[in-house]
Short mmCIF file of all heavy atoms in Angstrom, two decimals:
data_model
loop_
_atom_site.label_atom_id
_atom_site.label_comp_id
_atom_site.label_asym_id
_atom_site.label_seq_id
_atom_site.Cartn_x
_atom_site.Cartn_y
_atom_site.Cartn_z
N ALA A 1274 -6.19 -7.41 1.27
CA ALA A 1274 -5.72 -7.56 2.63
C ALA A 1274 -4.52 -8.50 2.63
O ALA A 1274 -4.69 -9.67 2.26
CB ALA A 1274 -6.83 -8.09 3.54
N ALA A 1275 -3.39 -7.97 3.04
CA ALA A 1275 -2.16 -8.77 3.00
C ALA A 1275 -1.19 -8.22 4.03
O ALA A 1275 -1.58 -7.40 4.88
CB ALA A 1275 -1.53 -8.70 1.59
N GLY A 1276 0.08 -8.64 3.96
CA GLY A 1276 1.07 -8.13 4.89
C GLY A 1276 1.36 -6.66 4.66
O GLY A 1276 1.09 -6.13 3.58
N LEU A 1277 1.93 -6.01 5.63
CA LEU A 1277 2.29 -4.60 5.55
C LEU A 1277 3.21 -4.35 4.37
O LEU A 1277 3.09 -3.34 3.67
CB LEU A 1277 2.89 -4.14 6.85
CG LEU A 1277 3.44 -2.71 6.93
CD1 LEU A 1277 2.30 -1.70 6.80
CD2 LEU A 1277 4.18 -2.48 8.19
N ALA A 1278 4.20 -5.20 4.18
CA ALA A 1278 5.21 -5.00 3.14
C ALA A 1278 4.63 -4.93 1.74
O ALA A 1278 5.01 -4.06 0.98
CB ALA A 1278 6.31 -6.04 3.22
N PRO A 1279 3.74 -5.86 1.31
CA PRO A 1279 3.15 -5.71 -0.01
C PRO A 1279 2.39 -4.41 -0.20
O PRO A 1279 2.41 -3.80 -1.29
CB PRO A 1279 2.19 -6.94 -0.11
CG PRO A 1279 2.77 -7.92 0.84
CD PRO A 1279 3.38 -7.10 1.95
N MET A 1280 1.71 -3.95 0.84
CA MET A 1280 0.99 -2.67 0.76
C MET A 1280 1.98 -1.52 0.57
O MET A 1280 1.79 -0.64 -0.30
CB MET A 1280 0.14 -2.42 1.99
CG MET A 1280 -0.72 -1.16 1.91
SD MET A 1280 0.11 0.33 2.42
CE MET A 1280 0.09 0.13 4.25
N LEU A 1281 3.07 -1.52 1.37
CA LEU A 1281 4.08 -0.46 1.25
C LEU A 1281 4.71 -0.45 -0.16
O LEU A 1281 4.95 0.63 -0.75
CB LEU A 1281 5.15 -0.64 2.31
CG LEU A 1281 4.75 -0.25 3.73
CD1 LEU A 1281 5.81 -0.72 4.70
CD2 LEU A 1281 4.56 1.28 3.84
N THR A 1282 4.97 -1.63 -0.71
CA THR A 1282 5.53 -1.77 -2.05
C THR A 1282 4.61 -1.11 -3.11
O THR A 1282 5.04 -0.36 -3.95
CB THR A 1282 5.77 -3.19 -2.41
OG1 THR A 1282 6.67 -3.77 -1.42
CG2 THR A 1282 6.39 -3.38 -3.77
N LEU A 1283 3.33 -1.40 -2.96
CA LEU A 1283 2.36 -0.86 -3.91
C LEU A 1283 2.15 0.62 -3.70
O LEU A 1283 1.97 1.39 -4.67
CB LEU A 1283 1.03 -1.62 -3.79
CG LEU A 1283 0.15 -1.65 -5.04
CD1 LEU A 1283 0.93 -2.14 -6.25
CD2 LEU A 1283 -1.05 -2.54 -4.81
N TRP A 1284 2.12 1.08 -2.43
CA TRP A 1284 2.05 2.49 -2.15
C TRP A 1284 3.20 3.25 -2.83
O TRP A 1284 2.97 4.33 -3.49
CB TRP A 1284 2.13 2.71 -0.64
CG TRP A 1284 2.47 4.15 -0.25
CD1 TRP A 1284 1.62 5.24 -0.27
CD2 TRP A 1284 3.76 4.64 0.15
NE1 TRP A 1284 2.32 6.39 0.12
CE2 TRP A 1284 3.63 6.05 0.41
CE3 TRP A 1284 5.01 4.04 0.37
CZ2 TRP A 1284 4.67 6.85 0.81
CZ3 TRP A 1284 6.09 4.84 0.81
CH2 TRP A 1284 5.89 6.20 1.01
N ASP A 1285 4.38 2.70 -2.78
CA ASP A 1285 5.55 3.33 -3.38
C ASP A 1285 5.47 3.35 -4.89
O ASP A 1285 5.72 4.42 -5.52
CB ASP A 1285 6.78 2.56 -2.92
CG ASP A 1285 8.10 3.17 -3.40
OD1 ASP A 1285 8.32 4.37 -3.10
OD2 ASP A 1285 8.86 2.47 -4.09
N LYS A 1286 5.07 2.26 -5.48
CA LYS A 1286 5.08 2.14 -6.95
C LYS A 1286 3.87 2.83 -7.63
O LYS A 1286 3.97 3.17 -8.79
CB LYS A 1286 5.17 0.69 -7.33
CG LYS A 1286 6.49 -0.01 -7.03
CD LYS A 1286 6.49 -1.47 -7.47
CE LYS A 1286 7.83 -2.12 -7.17
NZ LYS A 1286 7.87 -3.50 -7.59
N SER A 1287 2.80 2.98 -6.88
CA SER A 1287 1.57 3.42 -7.52
C SER A 1287 1.20 4.89 -7.19
O SER A 1287 0.14 5.38 -7.58
CB SER A 1287 0.37 2.53 -7.06
OG SER A 1287 0.01 2.86 -5.75
N ALA A 1288 2.12 5.55 -6.49
CA ALA A 1288 1.83 6.88 -5.98
C ALA A 1288 1.28 7.88 -7.01
O ALA A 1288 0.33 8.60 -6.80
CB ALA A 1288 3.02 7.49 -5.29
N LYS A 1289 1.88 7.86 -8.22
CA LYS A 1289 1.55 8.83 -9.21
C LYS A 1289 0.35 8.41 -10.07
O LYS A 1289 -0.27 9.24 -10.78
CB LYS A 1289 2.74 9.07 -10.15
CG LYS A 1289 3.87 9.78 -9.42
CD LYS A 1289 5.07 10.00 -10.39
CE LYS A 1289 6.21 10.71 -9.69
NZ LYS A 1289 7.39 10.92 -10.59
N VAL A 1290 -0.02 7.15 -10.06
CA VAL A 1290 -1.10 6.65 -10.93
C VAL A 1290 -2.31 6.23 -10.12
O VAL A 1290 -3.42 6.69 -10.37
CB VAL A 1290 -0.59 5.46 -11.80
CG1 VAL A 1290 -1.69 4.98 -12.70
CG2 VAL A 1290 0.64 5.87 -12.58
N TYR A 1291 -2.15 5.31 -9.18
CA TYR A 1291 -3.28 4.74 -8.46
C TYR A 1291 -3.45 5.23 -7.02
O TYR A 1291 -4.50 5.12 -6.45
CB TYR A 1291 -3.16 3.20 -8.47
CG TYR A 1291 -3.21 2.57 -9.82
CD1 TYR A 1291 -2.11 1.89 -10.31
CD2 TYR A 1291 -4.31 2.69 -10.62
CE1 TYR A 1291 -2.11 1.32 -11.59
CE2 TYR A 1291 -4.40 2.12 -11.89
CZ TYR A 1291 -3.25 1.43 -12.36
OH TYR A 1291 -3.27 0.87 -13.59
N GLY A 1292 -2.38 5.73 -6.42
CA GLY A 1292 -2.45 6.25 -5.08
C GLY A 1292 -2.91 5.21 -4.04
O GLY A 1292 -3.75 5.49 -3.19
N VAL A 1293 -2.38 3.99 -4.13
CA VAL A 1293 -2.72 2.94 -3.20
C VAL A 1293 -2.21 3.30 -1.78
O VAL A 1293 -1.07 3.70 -1.62
CB VAL A 1293 -2.19 1.58 -3.63
CG1 VAL A 1293 -2.38 0.54 -2.55
CG2 VAL A 1293 -2.79 1.14 -4.93
N LYS A 1294 -3.12 3.13 -0.79
CA LYS A 1294 -2.73 3.37 0.61
C LYS A 1294 -3.51 2.38 1.49
O LYS A 1294 -4.45 1.73 1.02
CB LYS A 1294 -3.06 4.79 1.06
CG LYS A 1294 -2.21 5.87 0.41
CD LYS A 1294 -2.54 7.25 1.03
CE LYS A 1294 -1.71 8.36 0.40
NZ LYS A 1294 -2.03 9.65 1.02
N GLY A 1295 -3.15 2.36 2.78
CA GLY A 1295 -3.83 1.48 3.68
C GLY A 1295 -5.17 2.09 4.10
O GLY A 1295 -5.28 3.27 4.38
N LEU A 1296 -6.17 1.18 4.14
CA LEU A 1296 -7.48 1.56 4.76
C LEU A 1296 -7.40 1.41 6.25
O LEU A 1296 -7.93 2.25 7.02
CB LEU A 1296 -8.58 0.69 4.18
CG LEU A 1296 -9.15 0.96 2.82
CD1 LEU A 1296 -10.09 -0.17 2.43
CD2 LEU A 1296 -9.84 2.28 2.78
N SER A 1297 -6.80 0.32 6.71
CA SER A 1297 -6.73 0.04 8.14
C SER A 1297 -5.68 -1.04 8.36
O SER A 1297 -5.31 -1.78 7.47
CB SER A 1297 -8.09 -0.47 8.62
OG SER A 1297 -8.38 -1.74 8.02
N ALA A 1298 -5.19 -1.09 9.60
CA ALA A 1298 -4.41 -2.24 10.03
C ALA A 1298 -5.40 -3.32 10.42
O ALA A 1298 -6.56 -3.05 10.68
CB ALA A 1298 -3.52 -1.87 11.20
N ILE A 1299 -4.94 -4.56 10.47
CA ILE A 1299 -5.85 -5.67 10.81
C ILE A 1299 -5.28 -6.40 12.03
O ILE A 1299 -5.99 -6.61 13.01
CB ILE A 1299 -6.02 -6.68 9.66
CG1 ILE A 1299 -6.59 -5.97 8.44
CG2 ILE A 1299 -6.91 -7.81 10.09
CD1 ILE A 1299 -6.64 -6.85 7.17
N ASN A 1300 -4.03 -6.75 12.01
CA ASN A 1300 -3.50 -7.68 13.02
C ASN A 1300 -2.02 -7.41 13.33
O ASN A 1300 -1.27 -7.07 12.43
CB ASN A 1300 -3.67 -9.11 12.54
CG ASN A 1300 -2.94 -10.15 13.38
OD1 ASN A 1300 -1.87 -10.65 13.01
ND2 ASN A 1300 -3.48 -10.42 14.56
N ALA A 1301 -1.67 -7.53 14.59
CA ALA A 1301 -0.26 -7.52 15.00
C ALA A 1301 -0.02 -8.85 15.73
O ALA A 1301 -0.66 -9.19 16.68
CB ALA A 1301 0.02 -6.38 15.97
#
């Protein structure tokens, strides 16, 4: 659980191997 940007970075880099995505938003 972290900021949106670290998740987007990992989503981008891990798409072909780990497929990281968001489970849910937490806070605005």
Side-chain angles (χ1 to χ4, degrees):
L1277 175 66
M1280 184 274 283
L1281 285 169
T1282 301
L1283 206 52
W1284 163 77
D1285 184 56
K1286 292 181 177 179
S1287 75
K1289 294 181 180 179
V1290 182
Y1291 298 116
V1293 172
K1294 292 184 181 182
L1296 281 173
S1297 64
I1299 300 173
N1300 169 256

